[in-house]
Amino acid sequence: MRGVLFLCLVSLINPDLTSAQRARQGIVTLEDARLFYEVVGSGDPIFVVHGGPGLDHEYLQPGLDVLGRTNTVVYYDQRAMGRSTGDLDPSIINLDTLVDDIEMLRQALGYQRINVLTHSSGMFIGLEYASRHRENVRTLILMNPIDAGAEYRDQEATRLRAATTAEDSTELSNLRGSEGFRANDPGTLSQLNRVLFRRLLRDRERISELSLDLAATTARNGEDVSRLVELSMGEVDWWEKMLTVDIPTLVIHGRYDVVPSGVSRALVDALPEGRLSVLNSGHFPYLEDPDGLQSALSGFFVELSR
C-alpha cells in the first residue's frame, strides 16, 4: 500500500453553508498521485465515492452537502479526475489503487471508522474497500447502484431506449461527430453528459440543476480512466465478493431510474446485512428526492444505533 507523503489542508468559506458546514479543502500527496478532497459539516464521517468511472465529485454537489447538517461529508476526486492527479498508466489507475486511496485518505484525515456512500458505478470501489477494510467501515451505502453482472442488461437497455427522445438521439449524434468531441473539449463533453444524464432523471427538465460543467482534467482524462478502471476489474465475481461484505449496507434505488429495481433487490439479497430503500427519483435522488434520501439515511443510522 502506498504511503501518504504530505498533507495540505486549507479552509474555504462558502457563504451558502452554515458555520458548521463550511467546506475545508486539501490535498493528500501520495507516491504516485495527488488526491483533492473537500470536507463539509461535522459529525460521524461519510466518505463519498463518485461514479463514472471518468467523472469527479462536482456533480454530487451541492445536493449531498445537506448531509453535512448531521455528518462530516468527505468528497474527493479519484485519480486523474477533477483536481486530483495521476499518470494514465495501468499501474497507477486501477481498482487496487482506487481502493487504497480511500484508506490513505481515511488515515490522513484521522478517522478511525467511516461510513462509505457510493453513487452508481462507484459501488464497485466501495464494495472492494469494505471487503478489504472491514474493520474501518461502520456502514456502506450504495446509492443508485448499477448491475454487478449482465442479468439485467436487456431490461436496462429497453428502459433507456424508452427514455431517449428523437431530440436526444440527434443531439448525441451531432456532439459525437463534432471537432469538440474529438478534442475532448470540456464544454462539448459537458453538454454530452447533460443529454446522457437527462434521460436518467424522473423529470428531465431538471438537468440544468446538476453540476455537469466538467473540469479540463476530467474532460481530457475521463475516457482513458474509464478504460483503465474497467480493464483492472477483469473477471471479478462481484456476487461472490458481496458475501464477504458483512457490514450494515443500505441500497438506495430510484423507482424512476433506468436501472431496473431488480438490480437493487438482487444486491440486497446477496449482501449479508443488506436492506433496501426505494425513493421517488431517477438516478440522482439527492436532486429529485432529497427529503426521501435524508429520511432513508437517518432511519438507517438510527436503527443501527439501537
Side-chain angles (χ1 to χ4, degrees):
M1 183 177 291
R2 297 156 179 79
V4 178
L5 300 181
F6 178 71
L7 171 65
C8 173
L9 177 66
V10 297
S11 294
L12 174 69
I13 304 302
N14 185 336
D16 294 329
L17 300 175
T18 66
S19 59
Q21 291 179 269
R22 288 175 180 169
R24 290 92 68 193
Q25 297 180 340
I27 296 288
V28 173
T29 300
L30 309 174
E31 294 176 1
D32 52 8
R34 300 175 77 229
L35 299 181
F36 171 83
Y37 67 89
E38 182 170 336
V39 181
V40 175
S42 61
D44 200 27
I46 299 176
F47 276 47
V48 179
V49 183
H50 64 74
L55 292 173
D56 56 50
H57 85 279
E58 292 286 346
Y59 77 95
L60 295 165
Q61 290 183 300
L64 283 183
D65 286 355
V66 69
L67 301 183
R69 295 174 182 171
T70 55
N71 293 84
T72 300
V73 183
V74 179
Y75 301 98
Y76 73 101
D77 291 335
Q78 293 163 23
R79 291 174 174 231
M81 297 284 95
R83 283 174 274 184
S84 292
T85 68
D87 292 340
L88 298 175
D89 182 277
S91 67
I92 305 297
I93 309 289
N94 57 66
L95 182 62
D96 288 339
T97 57
L98 295 183
V99 169
D100 285 350
D101 287 348
I102 299 177
E103 179 61 9
M104 292 295 95
L105 187 57
R106 181 194 68 82
Q107 292 181 25
L109 296 180
Y111 295 116
Q112 187 169 19
R113 297 182 74 200
I114 61 176
N115 304 283
V116 178
L117 184 155
T118 72
H119 181 244
S120 195
S121 65
M123 63 173 276
F124 298 115
I125 302 171
L127 285 168
E128 188 69 23
Y129 178 79
S131 176
R132 297 185 192 182
H133 298 280
R134 168 69 181 82
E135 70 282 2
N136 299 329
V137 183
R138 189 184 308 278
T139 68
L140 179 63
I141 300 145
L142 306 179
M143 184 172 68
N144 297 83
I146 63 174
D147 195 353
E151 182 178 352
Y152 295 90
R153 184 176 298 166
D154 291 343
Q155 288 185 42
E156 182 174 339
T158 298
R159 292 166 68 90
L160 188 59
R161 281 195 299 270
T164 304
T165 67
E167 177 188 2
D168 292 335
S169 297
T170 298
E171 192 167 356
L172 287 171
S173 179
N174 290 338
L175 287 166
R176 286 170 171 153
S178 69
E179 180 59 35
F181 179 80
R182 290 188 288 273
N184 291 332
D185 170 64
T188 302
L189 296 184
S190 296
Q191 183 55 30
L192 181 71
N193 279 342
R194 291 186 186 96
V195 180
L196 293 172
F197 291 171
R198 70 192 182 198
R199 305 177 303 168
L200 311 183
L201 290 167
R202 176 185 180 184
D203 179 2
R204 58 189 283 125
E205 298 304 317
R206 300 190 65 182
I207 188 62
S208 61
E209 299 175 48
L210 275 179
S211 299
L212 293 176
D213 290 328
L214 296 182
T217 301
T218 303
R220 181 174 64 250
N221 296 339
E223 185 176 353
D224 287 329
V225 167
S226 179
R227 174 180 54 81
L228 291 171
V229 174
E230 291 175 4
L231 177 66
S232 72
M233 287 167 55
E235 300 299 322
V236 175
D237 185 340
W238 289 102
W239 298 108
E240 184 71 24
K241 177 75 65 177
M242 286 175 214
L243 297 177
T244 68
V245 183
D246 58 341
I247 60 174
T249 304
L250 177 64
V251 178
I252 296 172
H253 178 78
R255 72 173 75 251
Y256 302 100
D257 200 342
V258 298
V259 179
S261 61
V263 169
S264 293
R265 297 186 190 281
L267 285 171
V268 170
D269 290 342
L271 290 159
E273 295 191 49
R275 58 209 76 184
L276 177 66
S277 180
V278 179
L279 304 183
N280 290 316
S281 74
H283 200 61
F284 305 93
Y286 55 90
L287 171 65
E288 295 190 293
D289 192 6
D291 292 340
L293 178 61
Q294 273 196 286
S295 178
L297 291 176
S298 296
F300 178 54
F301 291 139
V302 167
E303 180 184 349
L304 295 178
S305 67
R306 291 174 180 166

